[in-house]
Amino acid sequence: MDNNAIHLHVKQWYAWAPGIEGAGQWRQWAEGSLMPDFEDVPALPFIKPMLRRRLSQLSKMAVKVAFECLNKENDDFNADRTVFCSRHGELTRTVGLLETLASGNELSPTGFSLSVHNAASGLYSIARADTAPSVSIAAGRDTLIEGVREAATLLTEDGIHTVLVVVADEPLPSYLSEYADEEQRSFALALLLSKADINANCSFRALYDREKGIERQEPQSLEFIRFTLSGVSSAVMPGARCDWLWQKDV
Amino acid sequence: MADLAAEIKQLIIEALDLEDMTVEDINSDEPLFGEGLGLDSIDALELGLALKNKYQITIDAESEDTKKHFASVSALVAFISENSEG
C-alpha cells in the first residue's frame, strides 16, 4: 500500500448523463464515443410527483444517482453519511433569479429557497427519509477529489462504515461560459464508499510535479468513470493546483 | 366565472409546476392546501406572487381573511372578481 495515498473501497457506483445510463452505455462512452449532446431528464419513479416538481435538472441528476447507487445494495439501504458535491451548484437557478431581479420582478419563493448549494442534499434526504448527517462541497476543479477526501476522513471514525459521495454539475450558464476552464458537461456520479483498511480497491495521491501533456480537461468525475471502466492500473487526473495519480489496488 | 376558475387552475398548474396535472384534475371546491390538492406553505407564497402578477391584486400575508381566500379555487374566484382592477 502507498502510504502517501488515500485508499478507498468503492462498494458501488452509478452515473448518469444525458443519453448515457447503465454500465453498458458508459463503457461505450469510455471506449471513445463522444458524449451525446442533447437534453434529457433523468427518470425518478421513486419520488412522489409533489416533491419531484421541486427538483431542478441538477437536483434531479444528483438524487437520481444517489437512489440508484444505494438501491444496488437494497431499496432500504442508507449510508452512514452523505457528501454532496458540485462545482457550480444551482447556478442555473441563481442566474434565473438574477434575471428576474434585473427585470424588476419579484423572486419566485420556490426558486429562491432551492437555489442554495445544499438543495440536492436536502431534497434527497426528504425523498429517501434519510436523517444521516450530510456535507455539501464545492471545490472548483477538485470537487470530486475533495468529496472523496471528505468521505475518506469521515470513514476513519469508528461508527461510520459507509459514506455516499454524489457529484453533479451542469454546463455554466451562457453569461459565464467565458470563465469555463474545463469541458462543460452535464453529469452526475454517486460512489458508495466503505472502510478501506482491508479491502481498498483504489487510491489517489497528489503529484506535485505536474505531468506535461495532459490534454483532456474533462471534469474529474468523468475522468474517474473512464479510469474505473478502463483496463489500466493507474491514471493521472488534472486538478486545481496539482495533478492526481489514481491507482487500482490489487 | 367558469372561465376565471379554469384560468386560475391553469395558473396554479403552471406556477407550481404540477407537471402531471390538468385543469380537469382540480376540483373548484376542494381544499388547495393540506388535504385536497395537497399544496404547502411555499406553494402559498408562489401562488400569491403569481396571482399578484396576473390580476394586480394585493394580498396581505398577515390577514386572517387571506387564508379564506386561498381555501379553494372557488374562494379565489370570488376574491379576484371583487378585487381585480382588470
Side-chain angles (χ1 to χ4, degrees):
Chain A
M1 264 202 187
D2 179 349
N3 289 329
N4 293 317
I6 293 180
H7 295 264
L8 305 170
H9 178 234
V10 180
K11 209 162 185 267
Q12 303 287 2
W13 68 274
Y14 192 92
W16 189 94
I20 312 180
E21 189 172 355
Q25 288 181 354
W26 278 109
R27 199 159 276 122
Q28 279 181 350
W29 163 83
E31 281 163 4
S33 329
L34 286 175
M35 203 154 212
D37 182 20
F38 59 85
E39 291 185 8
D40 190 9
V41 181
L44 297 167
F46 29 74
I47 300 186
K48 289 180 185 148
M50 287 304 266
L51 181 62
R52 197 165 61 217
R53 71 197 165 108
R54 294 261 159 90
L55 276 64
S56 65
Q57 172 73 6
L58 182 77
S59 287
K60 280 185 177 144
M61 295 194 300
V63 171
K64 167 79 174 175
V65 296
F67 268 70
E68 298 282 7
C69 186
L70 294 171
N71 288 352
K72 283 178 147 188
E73 290 290 298
N74 67 64
D75 289 0
D76 302 318
F77 180 84
N78 286 342
D80 296 320
R81 296 286 186 274
T82 61
V83 180
F84 279 81
C85 316
S86 180
R87 178 170 186 182
H88 300 297
E90 296 283 347
L91 200 51
T92 304
R93 232 192 242 279
T94 305
V95 166
L97 292 168
L98 292 173
E99 283 176 322
T100 307
L101 277 184
S103 59
N105 292 312
E106 286 186 51
L107 292 179
S108 152
T110 318
F112 181 69
S113 73
L114 293 173
S115 64
V116 292
H117 198 68
N118 59 343
S121 161
L123 291 162
Y124 156 80
S125 72
I126 296 169
R128 188 93 184 171
D130 180 358
T131 56
S134 184
V135 184
S136 291
I137 286 180
R141 294 190 61 193
D142 278 339
T143 293
L144 169 77
I145 288 283
E146 295 305 335
V148 291
R149 198 210 299 266
E150 178 76 16
T153 310
L154 289 166
L155 282 164
T156 61
E157 255 183 68
D158 283 347
I160 296 180
H161 304 284
T162 53
V163 177
L164 178 72
V165 178
V166 176
V167 191
D169 261 301
E170 287 179 293
L172 284 168
S174 55
Y175 296 109
L176 300 166
S177 54
E178 64 178 290
Y179 299 104
D181 61 1
E182 60 185 353
E183 286 180 17
Q184 297 298 294
R185 296 281 184 248
S186 274
F187 66 87
L189 167 68
L191 304 172
L192 180 64
L193 305 179
S194 62
K195 286 195 191 288
D197 33 15
I198 47 163
N199 50 5
N201 50 17
C202 65
S203 69
F204 67 94
R205 68 178 174 88
L207 288 177
Y208 289 104
D209 297 320
R210 240 179 222 280
E211 299 235 333
K212 296 224 163 36
I214 297 177
E215 286 179 14
R216 264 205 320 273
Q217 299 281 309
E218 279 179 321
Q220 287 177 340
S221 300
L222 296 178
E223 293 271 355
F224 178 84
I225 297 169
R226 214 179 267 287
F227 168 62
T228 299
L229 292 172
S230 72
V232 303
S233 59
S234 69
V236 177
M237 176 190 284
R241 291 176 190 81
C242 64
D243 294 330
W244 299 92
L245 175 68
W246 281 87
Q247 288 183 297
K248 288 175 186 159
D249 288 351
V250 283
Chain B
M1 280 306 202
D3 286 352
L4 183 56
E7 199 176 282
I8 292 171
K9 288 175 188 176
Q10 192 58 43
L11 184 75
I12 290 173
I13 290 168
E14 282 167 19
L16 307 182
D17 294 321
L18 300 172
E19 308 161 345
D20 307 328
M21 243 177 225
T22 63
V23 167
E24 287 74 38
D25 294 329
I26 304 176
N27 183 328
S28 294
D29 299 314
E30 250 183 13
L32 290 174
F33 296 90
E35 304 158 45
L37 200 52
L39 303 180
D40 61 19
S41 57
I42 198 150
D43 289 319
L45 292 169
E46 197 72 43
L47 183 55
L49 180 66
L51 292 168
K52 194 177 146 193
N53 287 340
K54 180 146 186 160
Y55 300 105
Q56 289 80 46
I57 49 170
T58 330
I59 296 156
D60 180 1
E62 303 298 320
S63 162
E64 272 298 304
D65 289 341
T66 303
K67 271 190 203 165
K68 288 180 204 154
H69 301 323
F70 277 71
S72 64
V73 171
S74 300
L76 280 172
V77 168
F79 176 59
I80 290 164
S81 310
E82 280 168 36
N83 293 280
S84 171
E85 291 163 16

